[in-house]
């Protein structure tokens, strides 16, 4: 009996075309931003760090009502009192939004699900700025409530001495502070190193440059062009002139945008372990 061996049937292009290819769509940017916002609130430390925005606003407002003289019960006073602690808390939030991927070792999972790291970093920036802007409106509301309560206690008329332009400058100053924290987080990718770097940026460096300007006349006119904190602080208490905006642009270019570019390049190229 003869056995007939049938030749194997090879896949033809027509057979391959009959099988529909699976289409993999990228994760929407809005979903990435939502995930990054959840990361900022999910942990116990993150939750209390976010809650500290409201807590310090209430404590600063209460301190003004209790200890400030009657003539100082104004919206500007409340905004200044609330803005001081927020200028420290908000940049730390920005730092941890980046360094959390490395300290909690979630970076490998994150960058596996979203291979192009630039989208993840963009989502982190958007989430960070959303938190910062919302925090500023919360602080404004708490300060306004404190102004009403303080005026009622002192028996004086409430003083609303902050214009919309001034509030916009305050928001911009805090946004720049958060971007400074974000830059340090991207540059160091370590929570401790980035936080120390932020305090050097915010407190040590301005004191050193201010001391140099006080004792060296040649540096006095140069300080606004090299001291980023000096330029940013003017957003809180000065009417911004064209020269002040130019100084702000020059100082942030060298102390914020250029280091941020180097940090982003390092994140995009570095191996995640």
């Amino acid at each position: 009996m003869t056995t007939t061996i049938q030749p194997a049937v090879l896949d033809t292009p027509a057979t391959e075309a009959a099988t529909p290819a699976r289409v993999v769509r990228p994760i929407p940017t809005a979903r990435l931003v939502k995930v990054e916002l959840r990361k900022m609130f999910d942990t116990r430390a993150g939750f209390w760090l976010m809650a500290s925005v409201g807590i310090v606003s209430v404590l600063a407002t209460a301190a003004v009502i209790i200890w400030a003289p009657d003539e100082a019960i104004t919206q500007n006073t409340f905004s200044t009192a609330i803005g001081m602690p927020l200028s420290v808390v908000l940049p730390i939030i920005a730092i941890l939004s980046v360094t959390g991927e490395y300290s909690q070792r979630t970076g490998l999972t994150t960058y596996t699900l979203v291979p192009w790291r630039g989208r993840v970093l963009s989502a982190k920036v958007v989430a960070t700025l959303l938190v910062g802007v919302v925090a500023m409106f919360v602080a404004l509301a708490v300060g306004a409530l404190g102004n009403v309560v303080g005026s009622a206690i002192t028996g004086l008329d409430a003083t609303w001495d902050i214009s919309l332009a001034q509030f916009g400058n305050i928001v911009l100053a805090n946004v720049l502070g958060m971007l400074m924290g974000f830059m340090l987080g991207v540059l160091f990718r370590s929570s401790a190193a980035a936080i120390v770097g932020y305090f050097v940026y915010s407190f040590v460096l301005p004191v050193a440059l201010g001391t140099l300007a006080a004792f060296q006349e040649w540096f006095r006119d140069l300080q606004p062009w090299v001291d980023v904190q000096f330029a940013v602080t003017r957003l809180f208490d000065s009417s911004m002139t064209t020269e002040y905006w130019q100084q702000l642009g020059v100082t942030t270019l060298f102390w914020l945008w250029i280091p941020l570019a180097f940090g982003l390049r390092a994140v995009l190229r570095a191996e995640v372990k």
Side-chain angles (χ1 to χ4, degrees), residues 201-245:
Y201 254 59
S202 300
F203 300 103
V204 178
L205 190 62
V207 171
L209 294 177
T211 303
L212 182 62
F215 291 99
Q216 298 294 329
E217 188 174 353
W218 63 269
F219 186 73
R220 197 164 301 155
D221 294 333
L222 188 62
Q223 182 188 8
W225 296 96
V226 298
D227 189 347
V228 64
Q229 288 298 324
F230 185 86
V232 171
T233 303
R234 280 175 166 167
L235 290 168
F236 289 102
D237 53 15
S238 297
S239 298
M240 295 295 289
T241 64
T242 302
E243 185 180 17
Y244 290 172
W245 284 113

Side-chain angles (χ1 to χ4, degrees), residues 31 128 151 179-180:
R31 188 183 303 170
T128 299
S151 300
L179 288 175
M180 196 76 71

Side-chain angles (χ1 to χ4, degrees), residues 9-135:
V9 179
L10 299 177
D11 290 337
T12 62
T15 305
E16 294 177 357
T19 303
R22 183 181 178 184
V23 178
V24 180
R25 295 183 176 86
I27 300 175
T29 302
R31 188 183 303 170
L32 292 178
V33 174
K34 188 182 299 184
V35 169
E36 294 302 328
L37 284 172
R38 287 186 59 185
K39 287 181 183 179
M40 299 170 78
F41 286 89
D42 275 354
T43 63
R44 185 177 301 175
F47 171 80
W48 283 109
L49 188 59
M50 294 297 175
S52 66
V53 173
I55 293 173
V56 298
S57 298
V58 172
L59 291 178
T61 299
V64 172
I65 294 176
I66 295 173
W67 287 298
D70 293 350
E71 62 273 11
I73 302 297
T74 66
Q75 183 65 31
N76 187 36
T77 303
F78 285 102
S79 297
T80 303
I82 296 172
M84 291 298 294
L86 286 187
S87 65
V88 176
V89 173
L90 293 178
I92 292 178
I93 292 175
I95 289 172
L96 297 181
S97 70
V98 180
T99 59
E101 298 286 359
Y102 300 89
S103 62
Q104 299 176 16
R105 299 185 178 181
T106 59
L108 186 60
T109 302
T110 298
Y111 296 135
T112 299
L113 294 173
V114 187
W116 191 49
R117 302 177 190 179
R119 297 192 66 215
V120 177
L121 294 173
S122 299
K124 288 182 181 294
V125 170
V126 173
T128 299
L129 296 183
L130 283 175
V131 169
V133 173
V134 171

